């Protein structure tokens, strides 16, 4: 009976069994339990053959090279996993990235298949007897440009996963998870040979928490999903017109007055960054300035370009006028204070400053700003924003960060050290990839969201 159940039905079957056991007479519990475990045992005792082709596999993204053999390895309770570092030494250091990922992988096997593994943790000193042997050369510091390549070979009775770095090994484990399938009522892996590496070093997902706050557990759930399909950058948008979502102890008005009580404590941010690192995912925060600044100005209106307005959080999406005043020296003191406190929360080298959709309306209406532009021979609002960005980059560099921003920050005088984030498409009057091509031709590094934004 259980052999004919789909994976989903089996999951509900397990729940139904527990439900029934709690309600039947004691004399029936033993019979029902024996039937249940007999059925589970039969899942793993049947011989299996494979008629799989690469077309029947559900892998995302598709590996660079793949060969499918005519065999199938059944997942049974004796499945064992070992980790070997350079020199052939077995490594199971508690707390290491690969150790933790391997333990999660074993838990995943149990949850996915219902197979109760005898070894629920990577085994130590049993490389020869392991079902899955992971071999790496080094543990990497997570950063742009990590070697994420791996080689995976599934044979009838063993699996080999080799990678230069533990990051590459994590990508191989994600592929192995996706390979799990059912044949003749048994869970297992098709016999394959895979050589894989990412086509792009930056594979990101943006979560906009300013406009739509998400609890920590939801962020972590998204990180798990990202790891499953080998995405490696969480672009965490944390401030905009609708809210400021980070606890800042030196500037408490930001989270107390401009968040509706929905913000992340610094401990929660550290926890999420660590959680992401464990999955080989970099976290790049975005604090949008000088436009999209309504939340910041709700907390500290003295830094606004228009000092005559009363600022409150926006409740709708759109492009709004409030901007920081780039001619006010106190604005840079404020930003230095802010970034001094928040940059250590994020281990990645890149820091996103937004910089998009600044219409400059309040700059045009401010006579002091217009006088500053004339005195400093700043011809237009684009160059005024460049002046602001150059000063901002110096602040970020002081705290060990590299500036990146949306494509609007790209002007003739913007330093080539800035990373340009291309996002606008035909709906904004741009040709597909237009700003990406322009950025590359002008000597910038660039990443692309247009078409996926």
């Amino acid at each position: 009976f259980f052999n004919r159940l789909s994976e989903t039905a089996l999951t509900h079957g397990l729940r139904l069994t527990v439900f029934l056991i709690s309600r039947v007479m004691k004399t029936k519990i033993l019979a029902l339990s024996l039937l249940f475990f007999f059925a589970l045992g039969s899942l793993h005792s049947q011989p299996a053959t494979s008629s799989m082709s690469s077309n029947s596999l559900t892998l995302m993204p598709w590996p660079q090279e793949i060969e499918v053999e005519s065999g199938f390895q059944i997942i049974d309770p004796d499945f064992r996993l070992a980790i070997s570092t350079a020199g052939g030494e077995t490594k199971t250091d508690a707390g290491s990235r690969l150790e933790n990922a391997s333990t999660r992988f074993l838990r995943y096997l149990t949850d996915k298949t219902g197979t109760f593994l005898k070894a629920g943790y990577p085994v130590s000193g049993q490389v020869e007897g392991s079902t899955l042997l992971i071999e790496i050369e080094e543990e990497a510091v997570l950063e742009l440009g990590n070697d994420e390549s791996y080689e995976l070979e599934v044979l009838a009775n063993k699996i080999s996963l080799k990678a230069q770095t533990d990051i590459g090994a994590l990508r191989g484990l994600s592929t192995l998870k996706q390979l799990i399938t059912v044949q003749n009522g048994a869970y297992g892996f098709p016999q394959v040979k895979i050589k894989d590496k990412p086509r792009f070093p930056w594979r990101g997902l943006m979560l906009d928490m300013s406009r739509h706050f998400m609890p920590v557990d939801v962020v972590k759930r998204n990180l798990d999903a990202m790891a499953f399909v080998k995405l490696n950058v969480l672009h965490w948008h944390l401030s905009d017109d609708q809210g400021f979502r980070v606890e800042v102890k030196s500037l408490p008005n930001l989270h107390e007055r401009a968040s509706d009580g929905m913000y992340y404590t610094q401990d929660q941010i550290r926890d999420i960054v660590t959680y992401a690192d464990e999955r080989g995912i970099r976290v790049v925060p975005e604090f949008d300035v000088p436009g999209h600044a309504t939340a910041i100005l709700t907390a500290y209106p003295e830094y606004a370009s228009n000092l005559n307005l009363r600022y409150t959080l926006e409740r709708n999406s759109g492009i709004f006028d409030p901007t920081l005043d780039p001619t006010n020296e106190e604005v840079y003191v404020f930003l230095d204070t802010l970034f001094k406190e928040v940059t250590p929360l994020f281990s990645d080298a890149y820091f996103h400053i937004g910089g998009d959709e600044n219409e400059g309306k309040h700059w045009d209406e401010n006579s002091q700003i217009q006088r500053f532009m004339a005195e400093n021979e700043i011809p237009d609002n684009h160059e005024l924003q460049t002046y602001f960005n150059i000063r901002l980059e110096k602040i970020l560099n002081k705290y060990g960060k590299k500036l990146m921003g949306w494509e609007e920050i790209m002007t003739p005088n913007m330093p080539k050290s800035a990373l340009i984030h291309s996002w606008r498409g035909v709906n904004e009057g741009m040709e597909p990839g237009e700003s990406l091509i322009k950025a590359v031709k002008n000597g910038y590094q660039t990443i692309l969201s247009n078409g996926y934004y």
Side-chain angles (χ1 to χ4, degrees):
F1 172 72
F2 274 83
N3 289 344
R4 294 195 300 270
L5 293 179
S6 68
E7 175 192 342
T8 303
L10 176 60
T11 300
H12 291 293
L14 297 175
R15 293 172 181 167
L16 178 60
T17 300
V18 175
F19 176 81
L20 290 174
I21 285 176
S22 67
R23 285 163 175 75
V24 297
M25 295 168 55
K26 289 183 178 179
T27 56
K28 294 183 179 179
I29 291 177
L30 179 59
L32 182 58
S33 299
L34 288 174
L35 173 63
F36 170 61
F37 287 110
F38 173 79
L40 282 181
S42 68
L43 278 174
H44 308 292
S45 63
Q46 294 189 6
T49 58
S50 174
S51 58
M52 269 196 171
S53 67
S54 60
N55 292 333
S56 61
L57 300 178
T58 54
L59 299 176
M60 178 179 174
W62 194 252
Q64 295 284 346
E65 300 178 29
I66 182 168
E67 298 178 22
V68 181
E69 309 290 343
S70 58
F72 189 75
Q73 181 183 144
I74 294 175
I75 300 170
D76 61 31
D78 292 321
F79 189 98
R80 292 175 181 271
L81 186 158
I83 302 169
S84 176
T85 57
E89 296 180 359
T90 304
K91 180 167 182 136
T92 56
D93 288 349
S96 74
R97 186 189 288 125
L98 185 53
E99 159 78 6
N100 292 338
S102 297
T103 301
R104 292 195 303 272
F105 174 79
L106 294 171
R107 299 289 187 272
Y108 182 85
L109 288 189
T110 293
D111 293 343
K112 180 81 171 178
T113 70
T115 304
F116 300 97
L117 305 180
K118 296 176 183 177
Y121 296 89
V123 297
S124 178
Q126 301 181 41
V127 171
E128 293 301 324
S130 61
T131 312
L132 168 57
L133 174 60
I134 303 175
E135 299 176 85
I136 65 168
E137 296 297 320
E138 59 181 309
E139 293 182 340
V141 175
L142 190 62
E143 60 188 359
L144 177 62
N146 284 132
D147 187 334
E148 301 179 69
S149 64
Y150 65 92
E151 295 184 12
L152 176 66
E153 184 174 17
V154 180
L155 300 175
N157 59 355
K158 66 178 181 179
I159 303 171
S160 170
L161 173 55
K162 297 180 180 180
Q164 176 67 30
T165 70
D166 55 338
I167 305 296
L170 264 59
R171 307 307 178 223
L173 285 174
S174 292
T175 296
L176 203 52
K177 287 179 181 179
Q178 295 179 16
L179 284 170
I180 298 172
T181 187
V182 178
Q183 288 195 28
N184 296 333
Y187 279 97
F189 304 102
Q191 291 188 28
V192 295
K193 291 182 180 180
I194 291 175
K195 290 185 178 181
D196 195 19
K197 61 181 180 179
R199 183 180 175 192
F200 301 107
W202 189 303
R203 307 180 304 281
L205 174 73
M206 183 178 79
L207 295 180
D208 187 343
M209 303 309 188
S210 177
R211 296 182 177 95
H212 187 89
F213 183 77
M214 300 180 191
V216 170
D217 287 347
V218 177
V219 179
K220 290 182 175 180
R221 188 179 68 198
N222 278 275
L223 286 166
D224 287 335
M226 290 173 65
F228 194 80
V229 293
K230 308 183 184 73
L231 297 180
N232 68 352
V233 181
L234 172 63
H235 175 173
W236 206 6
H237 190 153
L238 293 165
S239 80
D240 212 288
D241 295 295
Q242 293 78 9
F244 190 97
R245 306 301 183 189
V246 179
E247 176 191 28
V248 184
K249 296 176 183 179
S250 59
L251 299 165
N253 287 359
L254 287 171
H255 62 273
E256 292 176 356
R257 298 182 182 178
S259 71
D260 290 320
M262 294 182 286
Y263 63 91
Y264 302 101
T265 67
Q266 294 189 10
D267 285 341
Q268 287 176 323
I269 290 174
R270 292 187 191 97
D271 178 44
I272 288 173
V273 170
T274 299
Y275 192 92
D277 185 283
E278 289 280 306
R279 286 146 184 80
I281 298 172
R282 298 161 45 218
V283 178
V284 176
E286 179 183 346
F287 292 78
D288 207 342
V289 288
H292 287 288
T294 305
I296 292 175
L297 298 178
T298 298
Y300 294 96
E302 60 268 32
Y303 302 128
S305 298
N306 187 333
L307 298 175
N308 298 318
L309 297 179
R310 180 178 178 273
Y311 295 95
T312 58
L313 295 178
E314 291 293 344
R315 302 302 178 184
N316 298 293
S317 61
I319 301 174
F320 305 100
D321 297 328
T323 51
L324 298 176
D325 182 354
T327 70
N328 182 354
E329 285 299 315
E330 291 302 314
V331 167
Y332 301 102
V333 175
F334 164 79
L335 292 173
D336 191 294
T337 302
L338 171 62
F339 293 142
K340 180 180 181 180
E341 183 168 339
V342 300
T343 52
L345 301 175
F346 304 94
S347 54
D348 197 72
Y350 287 93
F351 198 95
H352 206 303
I353 58 125
D356 60 314
E357 297 179 326
N358 175 23
E359 304 294 334
K361 183 173 183 293
H362 286 179
W363 290 354
D364 293 336
E365 296 171 350
N366 185 313
S367 58
Q368 178 180 325
I369 291 177
Q370 293 302 307
R371 184 165 56 253
F372 178 91
M373 293 173 65
E375 291 173 353
N376 291 275
E377 299 182 348
I378 298 175
D380 54 36
N381 288 337
H382 294 294
E383 288 304 322
L384 179 59
Q385 184 161 334
T386 300
Y387 166 84
F388 172 86
N389 289 339
I390 290 173
R391 295 198 59 176
L392 193 58
E393 183 178 40
K394 291 178 180 178
I395 295 173
L396 289 173
N397 289 166
K398 183 169 66 172
Y399 299 117
K401 299 300 182 183
K402 299 177 182 179
L403 181 145
M404 66 178 293
W406 299 109
E407 63 190 62
E408 288 94 326
I409 73 169
M410 182 171 56
T411 61
N413 292 319
M414 190 66 199
K416 299 298 188 290
S417 52
L419 177 61
I420 305 301
H421 193 163
S422 172
W423 73 276
R424 289 185 294 184
V426 292
N427 291 337
E428 292 79 24
M430 307 282 286
E431 293 296 323
E434 179 180 335
S435 60
L436 179 84
I437 296 169
K438 182 179 179 181
V440 172
K441 286 183 175 180
N442 288 339
Y444 293 95
Q445 285 193 315
T446 179
I447 60 175
L448 178 70
S449 285
N450 170 244
Y452 306 95
Y453 184 82

